[in-house]
Coordinates of all heavy atoms in Angstrom, one line a residue:
M1 N -15.4 4.1 -37.5 CA -14.7 4.8 -36.4 C -13.9 3.7 -35.6 O -14.4 2.6 -35.4 CB -15.8 5.3 -35.5 CG -15.9 6.8 -35.5 SD -17.1 7.2 -34.2 CE -17.0 8.8 -34.2
S2 N -12.7 4.1 -35.2 CA -11.9 3.2 -34.5 C -12.1 3.4 -33.0 O -12.4 4.5 -32.5 CB -10.4 3.4 -34.9 OG -10.0 4.6 -34.5
E3 N -11.9 2.3 -32.3 CA -12.0 2.3 -30.8 C -10.8 3.0 -30.3 O -9.7 2.8 -30.8 CB -12.1 0.9 -30.3 CG -13.4 0.2 -30.6 CD -14.6 0.8 -29.9 OE1 -14.5 1.1 -28.7 OE2 -15.7 1.0 -30.5
P4 N -10.9 3.8 -29.2 CA -9.7 4.4 -28.6 C -8.9 3.3 -27.9 O -9.4 2.3 -27.4 CB -10.3 5.3 -27.5 CG -11.7 4.9 -27.3 CD -12.2 4.2 -28.5
K5 N -7.6 3.5 -28.0 CA -6.7 2.5 -27.3 C -6.8 2.7 -25.8 O -7.0 3.8 -25.3 CB -5.3 2.8 -27.8 CG -5.0 2.6 -29.2 CD -3.6 2.9 -29.6 CE -3.4 2.9 -31.1 NZ -2.1 3.4 -31.5
P6 N -6.7 1.6 -25.1 CA -6.8 1.7 -23.6 C -5.8 2.7 -23.0 O -6.1 3.4 -22.1 CB -6.5 0.3 -23.1 CG -6.7 -0.6 -24.3 CD -6.5 0.2 -25.5
S7 N -4.6 2.8 -23.6 CA -3.6 3.7 -23.0 C -4.0 5.2 -23.3 O -3.6 6.1 -22.5 CB -2.2 3.4 -23.6 OG -2.3 3.6 -25.0
D8 N -4.8 5.4 -24.4 CA -5.2 6.8 -24.7 C -6.3 7.3 -23.7 O -6.3 8.4 -23.4 CB -5.8 6.8 -26.1 CG -4.7 6.6 -27.2 OD1 -3.5 6.7 -26.8 OD2 -5.1 6.4 -28.3
S9 N -7.1 6.4 -23.2 CA -8.2 6.8 -22.3 C -7.9 6.5 -20.9 O -8.7 6.9 -20.0 CB -9.5 6.1 -22.8 OG -9.3 4.7 -22.6
A10 N -6.8 5.8 -20.5 CA -6.5 5.5 -19.1 C -6.2 6.8 -18.4 O -5.4 7.6 -18.9 CB -5.4 4.5 -19.1
P11 N -6.8 7.0 -17.2 CA -6.5 8.2 -16.5 C -5.1 8.2 -15.9 O -4.5 7.1 -15.6 CB -7.5 8.2 -15.4 CG -7.9 6.8 -15.2 CD -7.8 6.2 -16.6
H12 N -4.4 9.3 -15.8 CA -3.1 9.4 -15.2 C -3.3 9.3 -13.7 O -4.2 9.9 -13.2 CB -2.4 10.7 -15.7 CG -2.1 10.7 -17.1 ND1 -1.1 10.0 -17.7 CD2 -2.7 11.4 -18.1 CE1 -1.1 10.3 -19.0 NE2 -2.0 11.1 -19.3
P13 N -2.3 8.7 -13.0 CA -2.4 8.7 -11.6 C -2.3 10.1 -11.0 O -1.6 10.9 -11.5 CB -1.3 7.8 -11.1 CG -0.3 7.8 -12.3 CD -1.1 8.1 -13.5
V14 N -3.0 10.3 -10.0 CA -3.0 11.6 -9.3 C -2.0 11.5 -8.2 O -2.1 10.6 -7.3 CB -4.4 12.0 -8.8 CG1 -4.3 13.3 -8.0 CG2 -5.4 12.1 -9.9
F15 N -1.0 12.4 -8.2 CA 0.0 12.4 -7.1 C -0.5 13.2 -5.9 O -1.1 14.3 -6.1 CB 1.3 13.0 -7.7 CG 2.2 12.0 -8.2 CD1 1.8 11.1 -9.2 CD2 3.5 12.0 -7.8 CE1 2.7 10.2 -9.7 CE2 4.4 11.1 -8.4 CZ 4.0 10.2 -9.3
T16 N -0.2 12.7 -4.7 CA -0.5 13.4 -3.5 C 0.4 14.6 -3.3 O 1.5 14.6 -4.0 CB -0.4 12.5 -2.3 OG1 1.0 12.1 -2.1 CG2 -1.3 11.2 -2.4
R17 N 0.1 15.4 -2.4 CA 1.0 16.6 -2.1 C 2.4 16.1 -1.7 O 3.4 16.6 -2.1 CB 0.4 17.4 -1.0 CG 1.3 18.6 -0.6 CD 0.6 19.4 0.4 NE -0.6 20.0 -0.2 CZ -1.3 20.9 0.4 NH1 -1.1 21.3 1.6 NH2 -2.4 21.4 -0.2
E18 N 2.5 15.0 -0.9 CA 3.7 14.5 -0.4 C 4.5 13.9 -1.6 O 5.8 14.1 -1.7 CB 3.5 13.4 0.6 CG 3.2 14.0 2.0 CD 4.2 15.0 2.5 OE1 5.4 14.7 2.5 OE2 3.8 16.1 2.9
Q19 N 3.9 13.2 -2.5 CA 4.5 12.7 -3.7 C 5.1 13.8 -4.6 O 6.2 13.6 -5.1 CB 3.6 11.8 -4.5 CG 3.3 10.4 -3.8 CD 2.2 9.7 -4.5 OE1 1.1 10.2 -4.8 NE2 2.4 8.4 -4.7
R20 N 4.3 14.8 -4.7 CA 4.8 16.0 -5.5 C 6.0 16.6 -4.9 O 7.0 17.0 -5.5 CB 3.7 17.0 -5.7 CG 2.6 16.5 -6.7 CD 1.6 17.7 -7.1 NE 1.0 18.4 -5.9 CZ -0.1 18.1 -5.3 NH1 -0.8 17.0 -5.8 NH2 -0.6 18.8 -4.3
K21 N 6.0 16.8 -3.5 CA 7.1 17.4 -2.8 C 8.3 16.5 -3.0 O 9.4 17.0 -3.2 CB 6.8 17.5 -1.3 CG 5.8 18.7 -1.0 CD 5.4 18.7 0.4 CE 6.4 19.2 1.3 NZ 5.9 19.3 2.7
T22 N 8.2 15.2 -2.9 CA 9.3 14.3 -3.1 C 9.8 14.4 -4.5 O 11.1 14.5 -4.7 CB 8.9 12.8 -2.8 OG1 8.4 12.7 -1.5 CG2 10.0 11.8 -3.0
C23 N 9.0 14.4 -5.5 CA 9.4 14.5 -6.9 C 10.2 15.8 -7.1 O 11.3 15.8 -7.7 CB 8.1 14.5 -7.8 SG 8.5 15.0 -9.5
H24 N 9.7 16.9 -6.6 CA 10.4 18.2 -6.8 C 11.7 18.2 -6.0 O 12.7 18.8 -6.5 CB 9.5 19.4 -6.3 CG 8.3 19.6 -7.2 ND1 7.0 19.9 -6.8 CD2 8.2 19.5 -8.6 CE1 6.2 20.0 -7.8 NE2 6.9 19.8 -8.9
A25 N 11.8 17.6 -4.9 CA 13.0 17.5 -4.1 C 14.1 16.7 -4.9 O 15.3 17.1 -4.9 CB 12.8 16.9 -2.8
K26 N 13.6 15.6 -5.5 CA 14.6 14.8 -6.3 C 15.0 15.6 -7.6 O 16.2 15.5 -8.0 CB 13.9 13.5 -6.7 CG 13.5 12.6 -5.5 CD 14.7 12.5 -4.5 CE 14.3 11.7 -3.3 NZ 15.3 11.6 -2.3
R27 N 14.1 16.3 -8.2 CA 14.5 17.2 -9.3 C 15.5 18.2 -8.9 O 16.5 18.4 -9.6 CB 13.2 17.9 -9.9 CG 13.5 18.8 -11.0 CD 12.5 19.9 -11.1 NE 12.3 20.7 -9.9 CZ 11.3 21.5 -9.6 NH1 10.3 21.6 -10.5 NH2 11.2 22.1 -8.5
D28 N 15.2 18.9 -7.8 CA 16.2 19.9 -7.3 C 17.5 19.3 -7.0 O 18.6 20.0 -7.3 CB 15.6 20.6 -6.1 CG 14.3 21.4 -6.4 OD1 14.0 21.6 -7.6 OD2 13.6 21.8 -5.5
A29 N 17.6 18.2 -6.4 CA 18.9 17.5 -6.1 C 19.6 17.2 -7.4 O 20.9 17.5 -7.5 CB 18.6 16.2 -5.3
L30 N 19.0 16.7 -8.4 CA 19.6 16.5 -9.7 C 20.1 17.8 -10.3 O 21.3 17.8 -10.7 CB 18.6 15.8 -10.6 CG 19.1 15.7 -12.1 CD1 20.4 14.8 -12.2 CD2 18.0 15.1 -13.0
F31 N 19.3 18.8 -10.3 CA 19.7 20.0 -10.9 C 20.9 20.7 -10.1 O 21.7 21.3 -10.7 CB 18.5 21.0 -11.0 CG 17.5 20.6 -12.1 CD1 17.7 19.4 -12.8 CD2 16.4 21.3 -12.3 CE1 16.8 19.0 -13.8 CE2 15.5 21.0 -13.3 CZ 15.7 19.8 -14.0
E32 N 20.9 20.5 -8.8 CA 22.0 21.0 -8.0 C 23.3 20.3 -8.4 O 24.4 21.0 -8.6 CB 21.7 20.8 -6.6 CG 22.8 21.5 -5.6 CD 22.4 21.3 -4.2 OE1 21.2 21.5 -3.8 OE2 23.3 21.0 -3.4
C33 N 23.2 19.0 -8.6 CA 24.4 18.3 -9.0 C 24.9 18.7 -10.4 O 26.1 18.9 -10.7 CB 24.1 16.8 -9.0 SG 25.4 15.7 -9.6
L34 N 23.9 18.9 -11.3 CA 24.3 19.4 -12.7 C 24.9 20.7 -12.6 O 25.9 21.0 -13.3 CB 23.0 19.4 -13.6 CG 22.4 18.0 -13.8 CD1 21.0 18.2 -14.5 CD2 23.3 17.1 -14.7
D35 N 24.4 21.6 -11.8 CA 25.0 23.0 -11.7 C 26.4 22.9 -11.1 O 27.3 23.6 -11.6 CB 24.1 23.9 -10.7 CG 22.8 24.3 -11.4 OD1 22.7 24.3 -12.6 OD2 21.9 24.7 -10.6
E36 N 26.6 22.1 -10.1 CA 27.9 21.9 -9.5 C 29.0 21.4 -10.6 O 30.1 21.7 -10.4 CB 27.9 20.9 -8.3 CG 27.2 21.5 -7.1 CD 27.0 20.5 -6.0 OE1 27.3 19.3 -6.2 OE2 26.4 20.9 -5.0
N37 N 28.5 20.7 -11.6 CA 29.3 20.1 -12.6 C 29.3 20.8 -13.9 O 29.8 20.4 -14.9 CB 29.0 18.6 -12.8 CG 29.4 17.8 -11.6 OD1 30.6 17.5 -11.4 ND2 28.4 17.4 -10.7
N38 N 28.6 22.0 -13.9 CA 28.5 22.9 -15.1 C 27.9 22.1 -16.3 O 28.4 22.2 -17.4 CB 29.8 23.5 -15.5 CG 30.3 24.5 -14.4 OD1 29.5 25.3 -13.9 ND2 31.6 24.4 -14.1
I39 N 26.8 21.4 -16.0 CA 26.2 20.6 -17.1 C 24.8 21.2 -17.3 O 24.0 21.3 -16.4 CB 26.0 19.1 -16.7 CG1 27.4 18.5 -16.5 CG2 25.2 18.4 -17.8 CD1 27.4 17.1 -15.9
A40 N 24.5 21.7 -18.5 CA 23.2 22.3 -18.8 C 22.2 21.3 -19.1 O 21.0 21.4 -18.6 CB 23.4 23.3 -19.9
D41 N 22.5 20.3 -19.9 CA 21.5 19.4 -20.4 C 21.7 18.1 -19.7 O 22.7 17.4 -19.9 CB 21.7 19.2 -21.9 CG 20.6 18.4 -22.6 OD1 19.8 17.7 -21.9 OD2 20.4 18.4 -23.8
P42 N 20.7 17.7 -18.9 CA 20.8 16.4 -18.2 C 21.0 15.2 -19.1 O 21.7 14.2 -18.7 CB 19.4 16.3 -17.5 CG 18.9 17.7 -17.4 CD 19.4 18.4 -18.6
E43 N 20.5 15.2 -20.3 CA 20.7 14.1 -21.2 C 22.1 13.9 -21.6 O 22.5 12.8 -22.1 CB 19.8 14.3 -22.4 CG 18.3 14.1 -22.1 CD 17.4 14.3 -23.3 OE1 17.9 14.5 -24.4 OE2 16.2 14.1 -23.2
K44 N 22.9 14.9 -21.5 CA 24.3 14.9 -21.9 C 25.3 14.7 -20.7 O 26.5 14.9 -20.8 CB 24.7 16.1 -22.6 CG 23.9 16.3 -23.9 CD 24.3 17.5 -24.7 CE 23.4 17.6 -25.9 NZ 23.6 18.9 -26.6
A45 N 24.7 14.4 -19.5 CA 25.5 14.3 -18.3 C 26.3 13.0 -18.2 O 27.3 12.9 -17.4 CB 24.6 14.4 -17.1
G46 N 26.0 12.0 -19.0 CA 26.7 10.7 -18.9 C 26.6 10.1 -17.5 O 25.5 10.0 -17.0
E47 N 27.8 9.8 -17.0 CA 27.8 9.1 -15.7 C 27.6 10.1 -14.5 O 27.3 9.7 -13.4 CB 29.1 8.3 -15.5 CG 29.2 7.1 -16.4 CD 28.1 6.1 -16.1 OE1 28.0 5.7 -14.9 OE2 27.5 5.6 -17.0
T48 N 27.9 11.4 -14.8 CA 27.8 12.4 -13.8 C 26.3 12.6 -13.4 O 25.4 12.7 -14.2 CB 28.3 13.8 -14.3 OG1 29.6 13.6 -14.9 CG2 28.3 14.8 -13.3
C49 N 26.0 12.5 -12.1 CA 24.7 12.7 -11.5 C 23.7 11.6 -12.0 O 22.5 11.7 -11.9 CB 24.1 14.0 -11.9 SG 25.2 15.4 -11.5
K50 N 24.2 10.5 -12.5 CA 23.4 9.4 -13.0 C 22.4 8.8 -12.0 O 21.3 8.6 -12.3 CB 24.3 8.3 -13.6 CG 23.6 7.1 -14.1 CD 24.6 6.0 -14.5 CE 24.0 4.7 -14.8 NZ 25.0 3.7 -15.2
D51 N 22.9 8.6 -10.8 CA 22.1 8.1 -9.7 C 20.9 9.0 -9.4 O 19.8 8.6 -9.2 CB 22.9 7.7 -8.5 CG 23.9 6.6 -8.7 OD1 23.7 5.8 -9.7 OD2 24.9 6.5 -8.0
L52 N 21.2 10.3 -9.3 CA 20.2 11.3 -9.0 C 19.1 11.4 -10.1 O 18.0 11.5 -9.8 CB 20.8 12.7 -8.7 CG 21.7 12.8 -7.5 CD1 22.4 14.1 -7.4 CD2 20.8 12.6 -6.2
R53 N 19.6 11.3 -11.3 CA 18.7 11.3 -12.5 C 17.7 10.1 -12.4 O 16.5 10.2 -12.6 CB 19.4 11.3 -13.8 CG 18.6 11.5 -15.0 CD 19.4 11.7 -16.2 NE 18.5 12.1 -17.3 CZ 18.6 11.5 -18.5 NH1 19.5 10.5 -18.8 NH2 17.8 11.8 -19.5
K54 N 18.3 8.9 -12.1 CA 17.5 7.7 -12.0 C 16.5 7.8 -10.9 O 15.3 7.4 -11.1 CB 18.4 6.5 -11.7 CG 17.7 5.2 -11.6 CD 18.7 4.1 -11.4 CE 17.9 2.8 -11.3 NZ 18.3 1.9 -10.2
I55 N 16.9 8.4 -9.8 CA 15.9 8.6 -8.6 C 14.8 9.5 -9.0 O 13.6 9.3 -8.7 CB 16.7 9.1 -7.4 CG1 17.6 7.9 -6.9 CG2 15.7 9.5 -6.3 CD1 18.5 8.4 -5.8
M56 N 15.1 10.6 -9.8 CA 14.1 11.5 -10.2 C 13.1 10.8 -11.1 O 11.9 11.0 -10.9 CB 14.7 12.7 -10.9 CG 13.6 13.7 -11.3 SD 14.1 15.1 -12.4 CE 14.3 14.2 -14.0
Y57 N 13.6 10.0 -12.0 CA 12.7 9.2 -12.9 C 11.8 8.2 -12.1 O 10.7 7.9 -12.5 CB 13.4 8.6 -14.0 CG 13.6 9.5 -15.2 CD1 14.6 10.4 -15.3 CD2 12.6 9.6 -16.2 CE1 14.7 11.3 -16.4 CE2 12.7 10.4 -17.3 CZ 13.8 11.3 -17.4 OH 13.8 12.1 -18.4
E58 N 12.3 7.7 -11.0 CA 11.6 6.8 -10.2 C 10.5 7.5 -9.4 O 9.4 6.9 -9.1 CB 12.5 6.0 -9.2 CG 13.4 5.0 -10.0 CD 14.5 4.4 -9.0 OE1 14.6 4.8 -7.9 OE2 15.2 3.6 -9.5
K59 N 10.8 8.7 -8.9 CA 9.9 9.4 -8.0 C 8.9 10.3 -8.7 O 7.9 10.8 -8.1 CB 10.7 10.2 -7.0 CG 11.5 9.3 -6.1 CD 10.7 8.4 -5.2 CE 11.5 7.5 -4.3 NZ 10.7 6.6 -3.6
C60 N 9.1 10.6 -10.0 CA 8.3 11.5 -10.7 C 7.6 10.8 -11.8 O 8.1 9.9 -12.4 CB 9.1 12.7 -11.3 SG 9.9 13.7 -10.1
P61 N 6.4 11.3 -12.2 CA 5.8 10.7 -13.4 C 6.7 11.0 -14.6 O 7.4 12.0 -14.7 CB 4.5 11.5 -13.6 CG 4.2 12.1 -12.2 CD 5.5 12.3 -11.6
L62 N 6.7 10.0 -15.5 CA 7.6 10.1 -16.7 C 7.5 11.4 -17.4 O 8.5 12.1 -17.8 CB 7.4 8.9 -17.6 CG 8.3 8.9 -18.9 CD1 9.7 8.7 -18.5 CD2 7.8 7.7 -19.7
V63 N 6.3 11.9 -17.7 CA 6.1 13.1 -18.4 C 6.6 14.3 -17.6 O 7.1 15.2 -18.3 CB 4.6 13.3 -18.8 CG1 4.2 12.3 -19.8 CG2 3.7 13.4 -17.6
W64 N 6.5 14.3 -16.3 CA 7.1 15.4 -15.5 C 8.6 15.4 -15.6 O 9.2 16.4 -15.8 CB 6.7 15.2 -14.1 CG 5.3 15.4 -13.7 CD1 4.2 15.4 -14.6 CD2 4.8 15.7 -12.4 NE1 3.0 15.7 -13.9 CE2 3.4 15.8 -12.5 CE3 5.3 15.8 -11.2 CZ2 2.5 16.1 -11.4 CZ3 4.5 16.0 -10.1 CH2 3.1 16.2 -10.2
A65 N 9.2 14.2 -15.5 CA 10.7 14.1 -15.5 C 11.2 14.6 -16.9 O 12.2 15.4 -16.9 CB 11.1 12.7 -15.2
N66 N 10.6 14.2 -17.9 CA 11.0 14.6 -19.3 C 10.8 16.1 -19.4 O 11.7 16.8 -20.0 CB 10.1 13.9 -20.3 CG 10.5 12.4 -20.5 OD1 11.6 12.0 -20.1 ND2 9.6 11.6 -21.0
Y67 N 9.7 16.6 -18.9 CA 9.4 18.1 -19.0 C 10.5 18.8 -18.2 O 11.0 19.9 -18.7 CB 8.0 18.4 -18.5 CG 7.8 19.9 -18.4 CD1 7.5 20.6 -19.5 CD2 7.8 20.5 -17.1 CE1 7.2 22.0 -19.4 CE2 7.6 21.9 -17.0 CZ 7.3 22.6 -18.2 OH 7.1 23.9 -18.1
F68 N 10.8 18.4 -17.0 CA 11.8 19.1 -16.2 C 13.1 19.2 -16.9 O 13.8 20.2 -16.9 CB 12.0 18.4 -14.8 CG 10.8 18.4 -13.9 CD1 10.6 17.4 -13.0 CD2 9.9 19.4 -13.9 CE1 9.6 17.4 -12.1 CE2 8.8 19.5 -13.0 CZ 8.7 18.4 -12.1
E69 N 13.5 18.1 -17.5 CA 14.8 18.1 -18.2 C 14.8 19.0 -19.4 O 15.8 19.7 -19.7 CB 15.2 16.6 -18.6 CG 15.6 15.8 -17.4 CD 16.3 14.5 -17.8 OE1 16.2 14.1 -19.0 OE2 16.9 13.9 -16.9
K70 N 13.8 18.9 -20.2 CA 13.7 19.8 -21.4 C 13.6 21.2 -21.0 O 14.3 22.1 -21.7 CB 12.5 19.4 -22.3 CG 12.7 18.1 -23.0 CD 11.5 17.6 -23.8 CE 11.7 16.3 -24.4 NZ 10.6 15.7 -25.0
L71 N 12.9 21.6 -20.0 CA 12.8 22.9 -19.5 C 14.1 23.4 -19.0 O 14.5 24.6 -19.4 CB 11.7 23.0 -18.4 CG 11.5 24.4 -17.9 CD1 10.9 25.4 -19.0 CD2 10.5 24.4 -16.7
R72 N 14.8 22.6 -18.3 CA 16.2 23.0 -17.8 C 17.1 23.3 -19.0 O 17.8 24.3 -19.0 CB 16.8 22.0 -16.9 CG 18.2 22.4 -16.4 CD 18.9 21.2 -15.8 NE 20.3 21.5 -15.7 CZ 20.9 22.3 -14.7 NH1 20.2 22.8 -13.8 NH2 22.2 22.4 -14.7
A73 N 17.1 22.4 -19.9 CA 18.0 22.6 -21.1 C 17.7 23.8 -21.8 O 18.6 24.6 -22.2 CB 18.0 21.3 -22.0
M74 N 16.4 24.1 -22.0 CA 16.0 25.3 -22.7 C 16.4 26.6 -21.9 O 16.9 27.5 -22.5 CB 14.5 25.3 -23.0 CG 14.0 26.5 -23.7 SD 12.2 26.6 -23.8 CE 11.8 26.9 -22.0
Q75 N 16.2 26.6 -20.6 CA 16.5 27.7 -19.8 C 18.0 28.0 -19.8 O 18.4 29.1 -19.8 CB 16.0 27.5 -18.4 CG 14.5 27.6 -18.3 CD 14.0 27.2 -16.9 OE1 14.6 26.5 -16.2 NE2 12.8 27.8 -16.5
K76 N 18.8 26.9 -19.7 CA 20.3 27.1 -19.7 C 20.7 27.6 -21.1 O 21.6 28.5 -21.1 CB 21.0 25.8 -19.4 CG 20.7 25.3 -18.0 CD 21.3 26.3 -17.0 CE 21.2 25.9 -15.6 NZ 21.8 26.8 -14.6
R77 N 20.1 27.2 -22.2 CA 20.5 27.7 -23.5 C 20.1 29.2 -23.6 O 20.9 30.0 -24.1 CB 19.8 27.0 -24.6 CG 20.4 25.6 -25.0 CD 19.9 25.1 -26.3 NE 18.5 24.8 -26.3 CZ 17.9 23.7 -25.8 NH1 18.6 22.7 -25.4 NH2 16.6 23.6 -25.9
K78 N 19.0 29.6 -23.0 CA 18.5 31.0 -23.0 C 19.5 31.8 -22.2 O 19.9 32.9 -22.6 CB 17.1 31.0 -22.5 CG 16.5 32.4 -22.6 CD 15.0 32.3 -22.1 CE 14.3 33.6 -22.2 NZ 13.0 33.5 -21.7
E79 N 19.9 31.3 -21.0 CA 20.8 32.0 -20.2 C 22.2 32.3 -21.0 O 22.8 33.3 -20.9 CB 21.1 31.3 -18.9 CG 20.0 31.3 -17.9 CD 20.2 30.4 -16.7 OE1 21.4 29.9 -16.5 OE2 19.3 30.1 -16.0
Q80 N 22.6 31.2 -21.7 CA 23.9 31.3 -22.4 C 23.8 32.3 -23.5 O 24.8 33.0 -23.8 CB 24.3 29.9 -22.9 CG 25.7 29.9 -23.4 CD 26.7 30.2 -22.3 OE1 26.6 29.7 -21.2 NE2 27.7 31.0 -22.6
L81 N 22.6 32.5 -24.1 CA 22.5 33.5 -25.2 C 22.7 34.9 -24.6 O 23.3 35.8 -25.3 CB 21.1 33.4 -25.8 CG 20.8 32.3 -26.7 CD1 19.3 32.2 -27.1 CD2 21.7 32.3 -27.9
Y82 N 22.2 35.1 -23.4 CA 22.4 36.4 -22.8 C 23.9 36.7 -22.4 O 24.4 37.8 -22.5 CB 21.6 36.6 -21.5 CG 20.1 36.8 -21.9 CD1 19.2 35.9 -21.6 CD2 19.7 38.0 -22.4 CE1 17.8 36.1 -21.9 CE2 18.4 38.3 -22.7 CZ 17.4 37.3 -22.5 OH 16.1 37.5 -22.8
V83 N 24.6 35.6 -22.0 CA 26.0 35.7 -21.7 C 26.8 36.0 -22.9 O 27.7 36.8 -22.9 CB 26.5 34.4 -21.0 CG1 28.0 34.4 -20.8 CG2 25.8 34.3 -19.6
D84 N 26.5 35.3 -24.0 CA 27.2 35.4 -25.2 C 26.9 36.6 -26.1 O 27.5 36.9 -27.1 CB 27.1 34.2 -26.1 CG 27.7 32.9 -25.4 OD1 28.5 33.1 -24.5 OD2 27.3 31.8 -25.8
R85 N 25.8 37.3 -25.7 CA 25.3 38.4 -26.5 C 26.3 39.6 -26.5 O 26.8 40.0 -25.5 CB 24.0 38.9 -25.9 CG 23.3 39.9 -26.8 CD 21.9 40.2 -26.2 NE 22.1 41.3 -25.3 CZ 21.1 41.9 -24.7 NH1 19.8 41.5 -24.9 NH2 21.3 42.9 -23.8
P86 N 26.6 40.1 -27.7 CA 27.6 41.2 -27.8 C 27.0 42.5 -27.1 O 25.8 42.7 -27.1 CB 27.8 41.5 -29.3 CG 26.8 40.7 -30.0 CD 26.2 39.7 -29.0
Q87 N 27.9 43.2 -26.4 CA 27.4 44.4 -25.8 C 27.3 45.6 -26.8 O 28.1 45.7 -27.7 CB 28.4 44.8 -24.7 CG 28.6 43.8 -23.6 CD 27.3 43.6 -22.8 OE1 26.6 44.6 -22.5 NE2 27.0 42.4 -22.5
D88 N 26.3 46.4 -26.6 CA 26.1 47.5 -27.5 C 27.0 48.7 -27.2 O 27.4 49.0 -26.2 CB 24.7 48.0 -27.5 CG 23.7 47.0 -28.1 OD1 24.2 46.2 -28.9 OD2 22.5 47.0 -27.7

């Protein structure tokens, strides 16, 4: 049997209510910027909203920030499917 790696068993930090509110506010600011620039996928934004994206990654746990971006990209693709759908 192999020993678990320290990173596998290390507890994730628990964010306080204020830290969560800050994280969500930074996410919302980034997404507002992306909406204003008609960008669905934050990973494809390039220099647009770059500073806001950096701040979100600083204020949110990495797994949260990654999840927020993937969820947004998926939701925007889903919305586009409804827009592009032929009418019956």
